[in-house]
Amino acid sequence: MRALAGVLILIAVSTAPVASAQVHVGRNVEGGLPWSVAAPQGASWSLVCRFAPVTYEASRFDPRHWTNRIATTGTGAARGRLPHQDGRCTVTKTGGAGPVGIAMVKAGEVQAAGTNDPARPAAVGFL
């Protein structure tokens, strides 16, 4: 019985930091780092961004939905924001002419990368 109690305490202690690390952003799911994808000749791309876990209000029936990733696709230029002030984004060219690029800005520091090769994604991030 003591062994079981010890295991339960260990599980509770080891999962507590993960739960407390989540930030609740409410409905403001685009209040963090800005990202921008450029595809000057209209290339198509896929974007995957990862960030520290957040909870947000997906609906009134789901007020604490959890996420740590966004994924989207597009053609040409696009912009958005992550829900938090840290994160890493990777853009992959999926077709079309010309290169694709990704940029992020945090506290005046800019990170940017680009690619013209579908097998070599471009990545930037602030962690």
Side-chain angles (χ1 to χ4, degrees):
M1 189 65 161
R2 279 189 137 156
L4 178 61
V7 170
L8 291 176
I9 289 171
L10 182 60
I11 291 171
V13 170
S14 66
T15 59
V18 174
S20 66
Q22 294 178 3
V23 173
H24 183 67
V25 296
R27 292 183 182 178
N28 186 17
V29 294
E30 291 191 344
L33 287 176
W35 58 263
S36 180
V37 171
Q41 296 173 353
S44 58
W45 46 265
S46 67
L47 176 75
V48 175
C49 296
R50 295 193 173 272
F51 41 85
V54 297
T55 57
Y56 66 96
E57 186 176 334
S59 72
R60 68 181 195 167
F61 304 108
D62 187 5
R64 298 289 253 186
H65 195 83
W66 179 92
T67 188
N68 69 342
R69 176 182 175 274
I70 62 167
T72 189
T73 59
T75 301
R79 292 181 179 184
R81 293 178 83 91
L82 300 181
H84 205 268
Q85 291 300 317
D86 69 351
R88 179 171 176 83
C89 293
T90 303
V91 67
T92 304
K93 180 178 175 177
T94 58
V100 297
I102 177 79
M104 294 177 84
V105 178
K106 179 177 183 178
E109 183 182 343
V110 178
Q111 287 194 9
T115 186
N116 200 22
D117 183 354
R120 297 183 61 163
V124 296
F126 294 96
L127 298 177

